[in-house]
Amino acid sequence: MSESEVKPSNFIRQIIDNDLASGKHQQVVTRFPPEPNGFLHVGHAKSICLNFGIAKDYQGFCNLRYDDTNPEKESIEYANSIAEAIEWLGFHWHGEKRYASDYFEQLYLYAEELIQKGLAYVDDSTPEQMRAMRGNLTEPGQHSPFRDRGVEENLDLFRRMRAGEFPDGSRVLRAKIDMASPNINLRDPVIYRIRRAHHWRTGDAWCIYPMYDYTHCISDALEGITHSICTLEFEDHRPLYDWVLDNISVPCHPQQIEFARLQLEGMLTSKRKLNDLVQSGVVSGWDDPRMPTLMGLRRRGVTPNSLRVFCERVGVTKQDSVLELQQLETCVREDLDQNAARAMAVLNPLKIVLNNWPAERIDELSAPAHPQKPELGNRKLFMTREIYIDQNDFREVGDKDFKRLVTGGEVRLRNSYVIRCDEVIKNEAGDIVELRGSVDMDTLGKNPEGRKVKGVVHWVSASHSKPATVRLYDSLFTESRPWELDDYKSALNPDSLVVIEHARVEPSLAEAKPEDRFQFEREGYFVADRFEHSGEKLVFNRTIGLKDSFAKLDKR
Ligand code: ATP
Ligand code: MG
């Protein structure tokens, strides 16, 4: 699987192709404009892949620009984590990181330009009065009594707003557009407000801050962005984007293009709701492997490559839709199947003592790290008298569908011999605590004489295996559209995390480094935990099972 294999054209690429063919642009410049007020989620991956991917394919540039106009909600921690997530996804921005706050002075001067042209005014109305005068979808708005202030008075008031002469919220600067416009965004939108908030970059230099719609288009123009790609909720804001740029002397006029947000079954993609999950302790943090944040997916073991391929495959549309989780899972499995080394891990160990195997005998066996990739070499396994198999691979009495070990039956140990179970040892409560059995010594790498043994189970040596903690993750919600619920926390999956403290893993896994990925044969794909795994304490997170789990979600 490669990304180039799946690079279908889409309506955005067609626009770009046309612009290059017509000579409107010689080079493509895009940007990714996150607000540093939270951590990136899987939806952002789509926007990142689109913006950075287009820049890469057209040999253009993609800027990273923090849209930092809301000082109260923003922080450097968020900003750093955003940059980390972009690089993890495999992209890099052009030049230095950029910040809308770098343009505060220019933004201010453009506002003065609008005032000079009679296209902006200072409004002293209260927020309630402004709301009441805005009208609604069926009724036009009304003019504010301050709408016809003269240029000089507006300039004076705006300069004094900047100088800190007025209390927070007492005045705003509004664009003078059209109070009767059917598009409410054009009904004299606020473009500056007074807010004495400490900004994480500009400190206390400013007590007025520009609004998003005003800031965004100008930032795009100042950076020479050619195509300003954003999500559909900004479609109704495009006339404002264009109005601002049409009315000030900016160097260029980028084209805003909207596409549908990425939404996936079972995953919340609202920063506010994700924050709520963290704050209420439902998950261990922003990077909990059940979180749809990029840092959560990373810790879960999802590969950046599979996310890129997923974003390419689902394409770009103008129609909002909810994608099946299976679509992402397929990409993750394909990537891991090709690239994850194989290993054996027994999650629920059941000891079996092989009576005819001499106590001191240790056979060193070898198995390929990857069945299709001999270049990855072999791993060592040790066959000993005492081994572990999984409790789920044994039943006292089987049936014809149970192809694993039963009392008196035989099974093949993967990459090793055929064994049989002769005796079951139970405790006083009647639980199985151990098995006794024997080895057919003539079955290494060949079938036993005169009979067929169908089942194959994974195993580890009791003495030559390592203890490990294994965390089995499942979807956080039992509903496929948790965002539609008033109380999404009522649909939490109680089994979204099962911690197995006493798994046993093959010795080669002691060498695993944090974030190394494996297929634990017959169990699924796992990753060594990015933070908690070490050579002393092995901790693996299940990324995904070997087969589809989508059927488990309650489909609606
Ligand atoms: P939230 O709604 O969760 O607060 P946001 O969209 O406000 O997220 P931003 O930091 O503004 O977060 O997003 C940065 C960029 O990512 C924007 O261009 C936005 O359109 C895009 N984006 C956000 N969510 C999605 C999504 N689900 N699918 C595609 N693009 C998205
Ligand atoms: Mg946003």
Side-chain angles (χ1 to χ4, degrees):
M1 172 180 59
S2 74
E3 289 153 74
S4 51
E5 158 218 328
V6 283
K7 217 135 256 164
S9 187
N10 57 49
F11 73 96
I12 299 180
R13 285 172 187 266
Q14 273 156 25
I15 293 173
I16 294 175
D17 289 339
N18 291 342
D19 288 348
L20 292 172
S22 73
K24 179 178 175 190
H25 297 297
Q26 278 69 51
Q27 185 163 45
V28 176
V29 186
T30 57
R31 85 286 169 268
F32 176 64
E35 182 174 0
N37 66 347
F39 296 87
L40 298 184
H41 52 61
V42 65
H44 293 113
K46 169 96 193 196
S47 181
I48 293 171
C49 290
L50 192 55
N51 280 296
F52 285 94
I54 282 178
K56 196 170 168 189
D57 292 346
Y58 286 90
Q59 281 137 38
F61 302 121
C62 180
N63 292 346
L64 166 60
R65 182 198 322 131
Y66 294 103
D67 159 34
D68 55 345
T69 51
N70 262 319
E72 286 112 322
K73 294 185 182 162
E74 297 161 4
S75 77
I76 189 154
E77 286 74 35
Y78 292 134
N80 289 340
S81 133
I82 288 170
E84 184 186 3
I86 294 170
E87 294 196 299
W88 174 72
L89 265 180
F91 296 106
H92 199 77
W93 48 91
H94 176 58
E96 299 292 312
K97 294 173 189 158
R98 291 149 207 266
Y99 302 85
S101 55
D102 287 344
Y103 312 133
F104 278 172
E105 187 64 35
Q106 282 150 294
L107 290 158
Y108 173 84
L109 292 174
Y110 284 124
E112 285 206 352
E113 184 181 341
L114 285 176
I115 295 173
Q116 303 270 15
K117 290 176 172 165
L119 293 174
Y121 61 97
V122 173
D123 195 334
D124 307 354
S125 308
T126 63
E128 295 73 40
Q129 288 167 333
M130 283 188 23
R131 210 169 299 131
M133 287 187 288
R134 190 176 299 136
N136 54 41
L137 288 175
T138 51
E139 284 170 38
Q142 299 154 30
H143 285 187
S144 157
F146 304 97
R147 195 173 198 259
D148 293 318
R149 266 180 168 149
V151 167
E152 289 314 313
E153 187 185 358
N154 278 320
L155 259 188
D156 175 59
L157 286 171
F158 187 50
R159 287 175 181 163
R160 287 163 63 197
M161 277 170 62
R162 174 179 184 171
E165 289 189 29
F166 308 121
D168 282 9
S170 60
R171 288 184 162 89
V172 291
L173 184 71
R174 298 177 73 175
K176 194 171 182 176
I177 310 180
D178 180 5
M179 288 307 290
S181 171
N183 183 342
I184 293 182
N185 294 302
L186 294 181
R187 293 187 187 170
D188 291 10
V190 172
I191 56 176
Y192 266 93
R193 67 219 154 99
I194 308 175
R195 202 101 191 88
R196 284 174 179 71
H198 188 81
H199 189 286
W200 61 287
R201 295 192 71 246
T202 57
D204 297 312
W206 293 87
C207 65
I208 56 171
Y209 289 99
M211 301 300 285
Y212 175 82
D213 280 333
Y214 174 76
T215 308
H216 192 73
C217 54
I218 298 178
S219 307
D220 280 350
L222 291 174
E223 293 178 10
I225 303 301
T226 54
H227 300 87
S228 177
I229 302 167
C230 63
T231 36
L232 276 181
E233 71 268 23
F234 292 103
E235 198 165 20
D236 290 344
H237 298 238
R238 183 170 6 111
L240 177 54
Y241 185 102
D242 289 332
W243 184 93
V244 172
L245 297 185
D246 283 341
N247 286 292
I248 53 177
S249 43
V250 276
C252 66
H253 188 140
Q255 179 181 2
Q256 175 176 311
I257 306 171
E258 309 86 15
F259 69 97
R261 294 175 79 87
L262 178 124
Q263 197 148 38
L264 258 177
E265 275 181 347
M267 292 198 186
L268 292 178
T269 46
S270 142
K271 284 181 194 159
R272 188 179 54 76
K273 287 177 184 164
L274 293 176
N275 194 26
D276 182 37
L277 292 177
V278 174
Q279 297 308 326
S280 60
V282 166
V283 292
S284 64
W286 282 98
D287 61 2
D288 185 299
R290 291 166 293 180
M291 288 284 273
T293 52
L294 295 182
M295 288 302 115
L297 293 169
R298 174 175 186 177
R299 212 165 160 196
R300 176 81 170 250
V302 169
T303 60
N305 182 50
S306 60
L307 280 171
R308 290 194 303 266
V309 170
F310 169 68
C311 289
E312 279 298 338
R313 282 195 192 165
V314 300
V316 191
T317 68
K318 279 264 186 195
Q319 240 77 56
D320 279 319
S321 66
V322 179
L323 301 175
E324 291 182 341
L325 189 57
Q326 194 194 356
Q327 290 184 269
L328 173 60
E329 293 189 340
T330 300
C331 297
V332 173
R333 274 197 200 95
E334 281 179 15
D335 191 11
L336 292 175
D337 180 42
Q338 284 190 24
N339 297 305
R342 274 36 174 183
M344 289 197 284
V346 175
L347 304 190
N348 310 290
L350 173 60
K351 186 183 276 187
I352 171 162
V353 180
L354 301 163
N355 286 325
N356 65 335
W357 188 280
E360 312 74 41
R361 177 169 166 183
I362 300 167
D363 276 17
E364 190 181 307
L365 307 174
S366 111
H370 192 289
Q372 279 92 45
K373 295 193 170 177
E375 68 274 18
L376 295 184
N378 289 318
R379 39 194 241 264
K380 279 183 192 161
L381 303 172
F382 298 92
M383 181 64 193
T384 52
R385 178 179 164 91
E386 297 191 358
I387 64 167
Y388 293 114
I389 63 168
D390 199 281
Q391 287 165 22
N392 295 327
D393 285 333
F394 175 75
R395 279 192 207 162
E396 280 182 89
V397 184
D399 57 45
K400 68 175 178 7
D401 294 327
F402 189 77
K403 302 267 158 41
R404 293 159 276 167
L405 191 61
V406 296
T407 317
E410 284 184 308
V411 81
R412 157 86 55 194
L413 298 179
R414 182 136 175 88
N415 299 306
S416 178
Y417 297 82
V418 169
I419 61 164
R420 101 189 230 112
C421 170
D422 301 313
E423 190 188 347
V424 180
I425 316 265
K426 296 183 181 175
N427 63 14
E428 279 169 13
D431 306 320
I432 300 172
V433 290
E434 197 178 292
L435 304 178
R436 297 290 160 85
S438 49
V439 184
D440 183 336
M441 295 294 194
D442 196 27
T443 52
L444 187 63
K446 59 180 173 179
N447 287 326
E449 294 284 328
R451 59 202 198 276
K452 279 215 171 75
V453 174
K454 284 206 184 116
V456 181
V457 300
H458 58 288
W459 61 281
V460 294
S461 154
S463 55
H464 288 65
S465 59
K466 304 281 175 193
T469 299
V470 175
R471 302 190 287 212
L472 305 179
Y473 292 99
D474 208 334
S475 52
L476 194 50
F477 295 99
T478 52
E479 293 276 342
S480 59
R481 299 182 175 209
W483 56 86
E484 287 179 355
L485 304 175
D486 292 332
D487 177 14
Y488 47 89
K489 282 189 239 162
S490 66
L492 287 171
N493 173 7
D495 302 319
S496 62
L497 170 58
V498 175
V499 181
I500 296 177
E501 296 286 2
H502 302 289
R504 304 288 307 189
V505 301
E506 66 171 67
S508 70
L509 288 173
E511 314 296 320
K513 303 279 176 297
E515 297 204 274
D516 279 354
R517 299 177 177 91
F518 300 93
Q519 184 196 93
F520 288 172
E521 297 188 74
R522 301 182 63 238
E523 290 290 355
Y525 295 100
F526 291 76
V527 65
D529 189 78
R530 192 175 163 206
F531 301 115
E532 290 167 40
H533 172 92
S534 70
E536 279 73 57
K537 185 176 190 315
L538 312 187
V539 181
F540 296 96
N541 301 333
R542 182 170 70 193
T543 310
I544 194 167
L546 292 174
K547 295 195 199 85
D548 281 347
S549 62
F550 76 104
K552 276 189 292 185
L553 272 184
D554 166 32
K555 294 261 176 192
R556 289 199 295 171

